[in-house]
Every structure is written in C-alpha cells, then in structure tokens.
Amino acid sequence: MKKEKKRICTLERQIAKIKQKISSIDDLRRGSLSEQYNICGTPGCKCKATPPTKHGPYYQLSFTKNGRSSTKFVSRKNIRDVKLQVKNYTRLRKLIERWLELGSELSDLRVSDKDE
Ligand SMILES: [Zn+2]
C-alpha cells in the first residue's frame, strides 16, 4: 500500500515534468526529412561522369495529411527551420508516448487503490 503511494507520487512527478516539456515546444511540423541526389538530362554533365557527382542534396519532406501520404521539397534557405520543426514534432511524439505509458500505469494504481 505504502509502496503504491510512493509509486503514484513518482508517476505524478514524472508526468508533471513531461507536461512542462511539452509546453516548451514551439514550432513543429509533421513529417520526416530526407536528402535526395539527382541525375539530370544534360549530356556530359558531371552527374554522368565516372564516378558521378550527382546534383544535390535536395531536401524532401514526407508527411501524412488526412490519412494520405505526401512529399514536398524544402528549399535550402528553409532547411534549418524545417529541421527544427520536424525535430520538435518527433520530440512531442516521444513525450506523448511516455505520458501515455506513465499515465496508464498511474490510472491502474488509482483504480486498484479504490478497490481496497
Ligand atoms: Zn547533371
């Protein structure tokens, strides 16, 4: 019983920390970034040499919107911002996962507490 109370306290503290971290997240963007290197159609271009020097990198954002997956190019001048936005999104997802995990354990403890 006492052990459960202690665990409840710990979980409450951990959840409070997660909420605090979530509230500090600002710009975010759903998706993941990938680098692309392309070959063009110009004859004798460096991208067709041996070994080839392909064009790029180009940055592409893959994301799902309304259940449909989509991609779009990100211009070089926006890449830093977009990288940060995607990073914040990943961070939010991780924090929510953790909150769900801890929250479920906490809820189990609260329910069993009431039964006794
Ligand atoms: Zn080329």
Side-chain angles (χ1 to χ4, degrees):
M1 187 58 214
K2 209 178 162 210
K3 208 175 137 196
E4 281 179 12
K5 278 253 156 63
K6 209 177 158 191
R7 183 67 188 147
I8 286 172
C9 271
T10 306
L11 288 167
E12 282 174 342
R13 239 189 356 258
Q14 286 173 329
I15 289 169
K17 259 188 208 160
I18 290 171
K19 287 181 183 172
Q20 208 175 30
K21 282 180 184 167
I22 287 175
S23 73
S24 76
I25 292 175
D26 43 27
D27 290 358
L28 52 81
R29 182 185 288 270
R30 198 200 298 266
S32 63
L33 273 174
S34 59
E35 278 182 16
Q36 310 266 310
Y37 292 86
N38 294 344
I39 296 168
C40 73
T42 310
C45 181
K46 60 177 180 173
C47 67
K48 291 191 175 67
T50 332
T53 309
K54 292 181 180 179
H55 303 281
Y58 302 103
Y59 293 92
Q60 197 175 35
L61 184 76
S62 308
F63 57 97
T64 310
K65 197 178 177 182
N66 303 324
R68 287 164 67 179
S69 57
S70 186
T71 57
K72 75 177 178 188
F73 279 101
V74 179
S75 69
R76 201 162 298 221
K77 76 173 166 64
N78 290 328
I79 196 68
R80 267 180 70 151
D81 286 343
V82 173
K83 263 186 184 165
L84 191 69
Q85 291 161 357
V86 167
K87 204 175 139 196
N88 282 337
Y89 165 69
T90 309
R91 193 158 166 253
L92 178 64
R93 289 284 299 259
K94 276 189 188 148
L95 288 166
I96 289 173
E97 263 321 302
R98 186 82 184 119
W99 187 354
L100 287 169
E101 215 173 277
L102 297 173
S104 300
E105 189 187 339
L106 180 61
S107 297
D108 274 349
L109 287 171
R110 288 204 206 283
V111 171
S112 65
D113 210 20
K114 278 173 195 157
D115 285 345
E116 280 163 37

